[in-house]
Amino acid sequence: MYYNKVEICGVNTAKLPLLSDTEKRSLLLRAQAGDNTARDELIYGNLRLVLSIIQRFSGRRESLDDLFQVGCIGLIKAIDNFNTELDVKFSTYAVPMIIGEVKRYLRDNTSLRISRSLRDLAYRALQARDALTRDTGREPSVAEISESLGEEKKEVERALEAIVEPVSLYDSVYGEGEDSVYVIDQIEGGETDEDWVESIALKDALARLNERERHILLMRFYRGKTQMEIAEEIGISQAQVSRLEKGALGKIRKML
């Protein structure tokens, strides 16, 4: 599987940097003023985001290197089109742009035959979606896309559904052999795109904590350990664990 792959397209993903929101904004302003060095730094500093997104599509038997390159195209489009005057975080704008680029790539490589008129409407809908995303800083609803095209909502929905690559209920999401988890196993959870974007934001926030803070939160909320058990394991007092936990949660709230 892909999760253990460190080098993608010649990039060592284990050493990718993380940029703060302040650094991103500064680089965005410089890049949009024509500073190519800042643009390159901004692209490199957001490759972790691309990596997080393409792992969602890892069960489609596509080359991870190809998906990574396509995701980078979406990232570059987001950088070039982001409106710094809007009160929107760059990652909030970039995520749907990257997802859209990957979905477009998968759609164009599908083996299904779709009528020309339906495909044309789908392409127009995707272009309208990208334009509305640039203007508003968020991904528009189907109703908004339909209104901008002057088309019936049901027709736009049908066109967009027609170009979505079909996925088997028994496609592997992750794991191998008897330990594989399949699409059908994930249906009950009903995770939305919004939930998934929040998950990416949370992972990004956790990555910015120091090692001790991150370790404490993982043991507390993912392994279900008490503060006393954590204190005994890492050799500090329960009061120190409580203080560190409270401080780490406060940092995450600010970052989110």
Side-chain angles (χ1 to χ4, degrees), residues 13 32 127 148:
T13 59
Q32 292 183 0
Q127 290 171 350
S148 71

Side-chain angles (χ1 to χ4, degrees), residues 16 42 86 99 112-113 163 182 211 254:
L16 289 174
L42 190 58
L86 293 176
I99 293 173
L112 290 178
R113 294 185 179 275
I163 60 173
Y182 300 96
E211 186 175 352
K254 287 182 180 179

